Amino acid sequence: MEMLVPLANLDFGEEESQAVLEVLNRRWLTMGAVTQEFEMQFAEMADVKHALAVSNGTAALHLACLVLGIGPGDEVILPSLTFVATANAVLYTGAEVRFADIIGPQELNISPESILKQITPRTKALIVMHYGGYPCRIPEIIEIADRYNLAVIEDAAHAPGARLEGRALGTWGDVGCFSFFSNKNLVTGEGGMLVTQRDDLAERARLLRSHGMTSLTWDRHKGHAYSYDVVELGYNYRIDEMRSALGLVQLSKLDKNNERRKTITQNYWGAFQGSRLGLPFRDLAAKSINSGSYHIFPVLLPEGVRRKAFMDTLRLAGIQTSIHYPPIHQFSYHRQLVSGVTLPQTERVAEREVTLPLYSSMSDSQVDLVLGAVIGTLE
Ligand SMILES: *Cc1c(COP(=O)(O)O)cnc(C)c1O
């Protein structure tokens, strides 16, 4: 069924097509000059020393875990209310995951108090995820990490361009990870970025991204290198020039597009004021001075409204919705790894959450359509 209002949509125009065509015409497709430019401009946007483009956000998270030395015998604390990749990146290394709860229905981000309860002598790192691009309590979490000598990884997949106290999300911890998947704020299809201020981590991530090899095909092509050694067991987590070209164009639109997402979000909040919907982050966003990325628009259904029926009604009206997220600790695979864990706030919110359409190319009439349908459905 063709949706009148999809959950997410691309903002691709002639510029994106042109940029990819130029790459094709230049006939160098694998990581090279365009990727270097994308990395440089992304680093500038986030005001961070190193940015490494990779094949997807999950690869960035996996590399983050590897360069921080996370492995068998270690534990990593992370939220359960996130995409499954946040946890899987840890599991790939042989380390164990420990889930912390979220703060509550107003703030769907990881709770510092809950983190403290999960720390053991084996804890090596914390992973936070800035839900919807709304900053988690990262200053407080960094204090905890410093106190217990833990590394901090930020899953900033929702948060390109978002800032807290003027500092880009993804650049507060040791390593930040972004995703450029099709439904994200900056889209390359598949794609991701790892950012860090630390030279040692960047150098190791660069090696592991490309088979642990000491030089790239591009460097040898340019005559910068003649042969190579392999110094670690690495991966092929490289991006390519077509995607980097898309990334450059999308990056140039990021601030404007995030601003449009903010306007739509504020329209939603205004229209749903006085409805029975729970509106996570609304009160916080009003107070804080951060520039957000407004990646998704979550609402919490009132008691007594059946979620499936609500979503079906909207679907029949041509409006696509989703759930962010089925909690990881309840998946068949992950449940057996962390048996007996209960996360009361996460579970309560996850049962009632519905994500409404939000994307920068959404028209005002599409927003009105969603508003009317949602309010009508709740009556
Ligand atoms: C999209 C996403 C990822 C994974 O990114 P991919 O590029 O799809 O691998 C990880 N974490 C969160 C929170 C995401 O939304």
Side-chain angles (χ1 to χ4, degrees), residues 22 71 86 95 130 172 189 214 233 256 270 277 295 333:
E22 273 168 36
T86 319
H130 303 286
W172 285 74
T214 52
L233 180 64
K256 181 174 64 79
L277 290 175
H295 172 55
Y333 179 76

Side-chain angles (χ1 to χ4, degrees), residues 38-277:
F38 181 34
E39 293 177 338
M40 213 191 71
Q41 290 195 21
F42 195 92
E44 205 169 293
M45 177 279 287
D47 196 16
V48 68
K49 193 160 178 201
H50 303 281
L52 271 82
V54 292
S55 46
N56 55 67
T58 309
L61 287 164
H62 185 202
L63 288 178
C65 292
L66 291 170
V67 299
L68 289 166
I70 294 165
D74 297 328
E75 291 175 357
V76 177
I77 299 170
L78 69 157
S80 176
L81 194 73
T82 177
F83 185 55
V84 66
T86 319
N88 287 354
V90 174
L91 298 174
Y92 299 155
T93 70
E96 288 167 40
V97 289
R98 287 184 77 100
F99 291 112
D101 211 348
I102 57 165
I103 293 165
Q106 282 299 320
E107 199 173 349
L108 313 185
N109 278 318
I110 194 167
S111 148
E113 228 173 274
S114 180
I115 289 175
L116 283 171
K117 287 191 197 136
Q118 295 297 328
I119 293 176
T120 76
R122 293 207 285 138
T123 308
K124 177 104 175 181
L126 312 173
I127 307 183
V128 301
M129 194 280 277
H130 303 286
Y131 185 112
Y134 299 97
C136 77
R137 299 198 181 171
I138 190 75
E140 195 178 335
I141 288 167
I142 293 204
E143 265 180 42
I144 294 172
D146 288 346
R147 198 173 339 136
Y148 290 90
N149 194 25
L150 310 173
V152 175
I153 298 171
E154 290 173 82
D155 180 339
H158 294 191
R163 281 162 221 283
L164 173 68
E165 297 168 14
R167 182 164 165 191
L169 301 187
T171 68
W172 285 74
D174 296 282
V175 183
C177 303
F178 295 86
S179 164
F180 308 137
F181 186 72
S182 276
N183 60 8
K184 300 285 167 33
N185 290 37
L186 188 168
V187 172
T188 65
E190 300 283 358
M193 192 74 78
L194 178 152
V195 301
T196 182
Q197 295 288 8
R198 280 176 53 182
D199 298 343
D200 58 330
L201 300 183
E203 190 185 337
R204 194 133 179 259
R206 205 176 297 280
L207 276 174
L208 292 174
R209 171 175 66 175
S210 197
H211 306 291
M213 287 162 63
T214 52
S215 80
L216 292 170
T217 318
W218 174 246
D219 296 321
R220 292 191 299 283
H221 174 76
K222 298 293 280 180
H224 296 320
Y226 140 82
S227 184
Y228 59 85
D229 188 18
V230 173
V231 294
E232 281 209 68
L233 180 64
Y235 300 82
N236 179 353
Y237 281 168
R238 296 182 305 255
I239 198 166
D240 61 47
E241 297 285 88
M242 292 78 78
R243 290 184 174 83
S244 293
L246 289 173
L248 274 167
V249 180
Q250 287 272 292
L251 183 59
S252 72
K253 300 179 176 177
L254 183 64
D255 282 346
K256 181 174 64 79
N257 283 350
N258 284 352
E259 204 48 44
R260 173 68 186 151
R261 286 172 180 272
K262 178 180 182 175
T263 302
I264 297 168
T265 298
Q266 288 175 334
N267 287 349
Y268 274 150
W269 280 335
F272 294 142
Q273 189 151 16
S275 81
R276 293 182 297 142
L277 290 175

Side-chain angles (χ1 to χ4, degrees), residues 333-344:
Y333 179 76
H334 299 82
R335 198 166 49 211
Q336 34 121 20
L337 303 175
V338 291
S339 59
V341 171
T342 55
L343 303 167

